[in-house]
Amino acid sequence: MLDLAVAASTFAALGSEQRLTVLRSLVRAGPEGVTIGELGTRTRVTGSTLTHHMKILTQAGLVTQARQGRQIICAAVAYDELRELSQFLLRECCADSTCPEEHNHG
């Protein structure tokens, strides 16, 4: 079960519109990932800005970068962690409410 400190740290890493765009693009690309150049084209985030965002997402354990020959392949790797993060938010849905049971997403 995800604890509050880990959830807060991961949400902090996602606390940028550009980083969310980068991560969503990598999730869409699937486990094989895309080159750093293609990622820049898809997200319109390039150069040192993309490098900065990839560093933060990598440190959070959400993505990887691997050299293949002369290319850098970027991929989302934390599908289970992302699922757990969303469940962290919904786990106690309606716990303090009198809403019907079908609204409880936990």
Side-chain angles (χ1 to χ4, degrees), residues 23-81:
L23 182 60
R24 287 181 71 196
S25 183
L26 290 173
V27 167
R28 287 177 58 98
E32 63 275 0
V34 294
T35 65
I36 192 86
E38 178 62 22
L39 181 60
T41 300
R42 291 180 183 193
T43 62
R44 296 187 182 141
V45 179
T46 58
S48 61
T49 302
L50 181 56
T51 301
H52 170 74
H53 290 315
M54 283 298 298
K55 180 180 177 183
I56 292 170
L57 292 169
T58 300
Q59 288 174 341
L62 297 170
V63 304
T64 60
Q65 297 181 80
R67 186 167 292 281
Q68 281 186 359
R70 294 167 44 141
Q71 306 251 8
I72 296 175
I73 305 299
C74 305
V77 293
Y79 295 101
D80 290 338
E81 288 82 352

Side-chain angles (χ1 to χ4, degrees), residues 2 11 81-91:
L2 195 63
F11 278 119
E81 288 82 352
L82 291 170
R83 192 172 296 109
E84 191 173 351
L85 198 59
S86 66
Q87 289 170 351
F88 173 84
L89 291 175
L90 297 173
R91 188 171 295 123

